[in-house]
Amino acid sequence: MNPAAGGCHTSPMADLLPGLDAALQALNRGDVEPAIALLDESVQWRGRPEGRLWWKFTPVCNGPDEARINFQRQAVKGHTRSRQFQLQQVEQIGQRLVIGGRWTAGDGGGAQAGEFFQVLTVRDGKIVDIEGCTSRRSAMAAARRAS
């Protein structure tokens, strides 16, 4: 992980960082609860937009229960496709974290199967908002826009 650029960590933010990596490792084993423990009760998770032009939509989860369902789907999808999540970057911008990573083939070869980028808004040590982005550039822009 690349610790935050653009300021020092506040204590709640610093406390959250080890949990992110641990949550992804647990997700790779099919355990979603460490990820759920990082979420605020009122968390909103907007996935990256899907579709084209006027058929675009953005999947949304409201609260930890809906997020749990999404995490479970991701864990099952990763397991059936033998994919592993790897966190590669974390950058702090104000009270937001831009995270980026990749899915790799779980066969140990390390072949990249896809990337993910998200902007996490953190308050009192919990994630209150998650915004999925299509690229690192769009994630950084979203984090700066929201700051």
Side-chain angles (χ1 to χ4, degrees):
M1 284 192 301
N2 178 13
C8 5
H9 291 297
T10 60
S11 180
M13 193 72 76
D15 291 344
L16 183 70
L17 292 175
L20 285 174
D21 199 41
L24 279 178
Q25 294 306 315
L27 195 58
N28 287 334
R29 295 187 307 273
D31 181 8
V32 301
E33 293 309 312
I36 298 302
L38 300 173
L39 304 178
D40 186 78
E41 284 298 314
S42 63
V43 67
Q44 184 179 58
W45 182 354
R46 292 172 313 288
R48 67 182 191 196
E50 298 174 1
R52 296 187 180 271
L53 301 174
W54 52 88
W55 290 290
K56 267 190 176 180
F57 82 99
T58 301
V60 175
C61 295
N62 292 299
D65 292 334
E66 289 182 18
R68 179 180 284 109
I69 293 167
N70 190 43
F71 278 129
Q72 288 169 334
R73 275 191 216 127
Q74 294 298 321
V76 167
K77 189 187 306 183
H79 181 70
T80 58
R81 295 181 183 172
S82 296
R83 297 195 309 188
Q84 299 283 307
F85 293 102
Q86 290 182 340
L87 192 59
Q88 293 184 304
Q89 77 173 52
V90 177
E91 294 185 55
Q92 183 177 350
I93 298 175
Q95 290 302 306
R96 289 172 180 75
L97 290 175
V98 174
I99 64 169
R102 64 185 183 146
W103 299 288
T104 58
D107 61 5
Q112 183 166 318
E115 295 180 303
F116 63 92
F117 302 93
Q118 295 179 325
V119 178
L120 312 178
T121 303
V122 178
R123 195 172 302 125
D124 298 325
K126 294 284 190 174
I127 299 169
V128 297
D129 188 76
I130 305 170
E131 180 179 351
C133 299
T134 56
S135 67
R136 180 182 183 280
R137 174 186 257 179
S138 66
M140 295 297 285
R144 287 188 179 103
R145 190 173 46 248
S147 288

